Amino acid sequence: MPEPFVAYMRVYEPLSSFESPRQEQLAEALDQGAVDPVGVGAREQNRWLRSQLSIRPRLLPGEGIDGTPQGQEEVLALDPEDVPAESADTVGPGPLVCPLDIRGRAAAALVGFIGAADPPLRTAALTMPEDTAKSKASAVVNEMSDSAVHVISSTWTIPLPWFAVVDPEQRVLFEDSHGGVERVYWRTPMAEARRRVSRAHTVTRNTLGDEGPPKILRETGRWLERFHPHSAVELDYGGLVRMMRDEDLRADTSAEDVHAIVDAMELGHTNEVAERYEALREFWAELAAHERYN
C-alpha cells in the first residue's frame, strides 16, 4: 500500500516545557526511541488499519475497546542545532519533541469526514452508527480543548500560506541511497515563524480582506501562539514526494514565490502577484487533481 499523500506542519517543543505527568510520558517515549519522520504517514496509516481490522474494531487508533487512551505515546524528536536561524532567536533547550497525538488527530479527522463525506461513503467506512461515531469522536476532540495538536496535515497538496512560515533558503532535500529525493522539509525557530506569519497576514489582509489566504494565515498564527516560544516549526512535504517527480521537487520554488507575492503585495506590484500566483496555482492544482482520480 502506498504511503498516504499527506504533507505536515509540525511543532517541536522543549521536553522541559511540558508539565507532569505528560513530561514523564514523553520522556519514556523518547527513551523507547523516537519515530523516524520518513514514512511516518505509512506508520500512522498502518495503526489505523490495525484498529479497524482487529477482532473487535476500535473507532480510533491509540485507544482500547472501551474507548479510553491505550498504548505508549509516540514522538518525533529534534536537536536544537538542527534548526537553522536567521538571528539569535532561542530554540530549546533540547531535546525538542513533537507528540504525534494520533488519537486526537484521528478524532478531529473523523468529525470532519462525517460532516463532509457522502452518505454511502460514510456508511461503508463506519463500523458503528454515524451518530455514535460522531459523538465519541467529538468527545475526544473536546478532551484536547486545553491543548493543541503538534501536527496539522494537508492531503494531496499544501496550502500556499503555509510557505509563509519558513525561510525559502532553508529548504532541505534529503536523498535516498539511489540519489532520489526521499524527503523535503524546512525548519525554523518559533519566533521567526510567528513574525513571518504575522507580517504575511497583515499584508494579505490589507490587500485581499479577511477570507482566503488571510484567514489561513490568521488561523496558523493562532495555532503557533499556543506553543512554547522556544519551539521549532517544521514544514514537511511528507508523502507528497511519492507522487512528484524528482526534477519537479528540485526545481520547486513555491516558498520563494509565496514570499515574493507577499513582498509584491506590500509594494503594490499587482502584475508580479498575478504572475507568480498563476504559476503556483497551476503547479499545485495539477497535483491536487490526483485526488479526483483516486
Side-chain angles (χ1 to χ4, degrees), residues 165-176:
V165 173
V166 300
D167 178 350
E169 300 297 324
Q170 294 170 350
R171 183 178 71 159
V172 176
L173 273 75
F174 182 79
E175 297 182 348
D176 60 25

Side-chain angles (χ1 to χ4, degrees), residues 24 46 50 100 153 155 227 238 240 267:
E24 288 74 21
N46 181 264
R50 287 179 180 274
L100 291 180
S153 58
T155 56
F227 300 100
L240 296 188
L267 296 172

Side-chain angles (χ1 to χ4, degrees), residues 5-109:
F5 301 126
V6 181
Y8 306 93
M9 190 181 295
R10 306 184 180 105
V11 171
Y12 293 76
E13 289 192 277
L15 179 60
S16 58
S17 69
F18 291 88
E19 297 182 356
S20 295
R22 188 83 190 281
Q23 184 179 128
E24 288 74 21
Q25 294 168 348
L26 295 174
E28 182 181 355
L30 199 59
D31 288 340
Q32 294 296 320
V35 175
D36 186 345
V38 177
V40 69
R43 181 188 180 95
E44 293 182 347
Q45 181 186 57
N46 181 264
R47 286 198 61 185
W48 181 84
L49 288 172
R50 287 179 180 274
S51 72
Q52 302 304 302
L53 298 176
S54 59
I55 295 176
R56 293 182 63 183
R58 298 180 294 278
L59 180 64
L60 301 169
E63 68 178 18
I65 294 173
D66 61 356
T68 58
Q70 187 179 75
Q72 186 177 352
E73 290 254 21
E74 292 188 336
V75 300
L76 300 172
L78 197 60
D79 189 311
E81 293 185 359
D82 293 329
V83 184
E86 290 182 345
S87 59
D89 288 316
T90 301
V91 177
L96 304 175
V97 295
C98 174
L100 291 180
D101 302 321
I102 293 176
R103 180 170 174 262
R105 288 167 50 217

Side-chain angles (χ1 to χ4, degrees), residues 102-243:
I102 293 176
R103 180 170 174 262
R105 288 167 50 217
L110 180 57
V111 172
F113 169 79
I114 292 174
D118 293 330
L121 183 57
R122 296 199 300 266
T123 301
L126 296 174
T127 58
M128 62 180 64
E130 180 180 316
D131 289 344
T132 302
K134 184 176 181 179
S135 176
K136 291 186 175 182
S138 296
V140 173
V141 173
N142 290 336
E143 289 174 9
M144 303 179 63
S145 59
D146 293 334
S147 60
V149 294
H150 289 69
V151 184
I152 56 177
S153 58
S154 174
T155 56
W156 302 98
T157 187
I158 293 181
L160 294 180
W162 282 12
F163 290 107
V165 173
V166 300
D167 178 350
E169 300 297 324
Q170 294 170 350
R171 183 178 71 159
V172 176
L173 273 75
F174 182 79
E175 297 182 348
D176 60 25
S177 58
H178 303 290
V181 178
E182 186 173 42
R183 189 180 178 211
V184 176
Y185 64 88
W186 292 258
R187 291 171 181 159
T188 190
M190 176 63 76
E192 292 181 13
R194 289 175 178 173
R195 283 198 295 269
R196 294 189 191 107
V197 169
S198 177
R199 173 183 176 251
H201 175 245
T202 298
V203 172
T204 57
R205 183 189 58 195
N206 290 341
T207 305
L208 304 174
D210 291 327
E211 297 303 313
K215 181 179 179 180
I216 296 175
L217 288 164
R218 182 177 70 250
E219 292 173 347
T220 302
R222 289 174 176 173
W223 177 65
L224 294 176
E225 289 291 340
R226 302 187 70 178
F227 300 100
H228 193 278
H230 296 169
S231 302
V233 185
E234 179 179 75
L235 174 58
D236 189 342
Y237 273 26
L240 296 188
V241 298
R242 306 299 176 216
M243 68 174 185

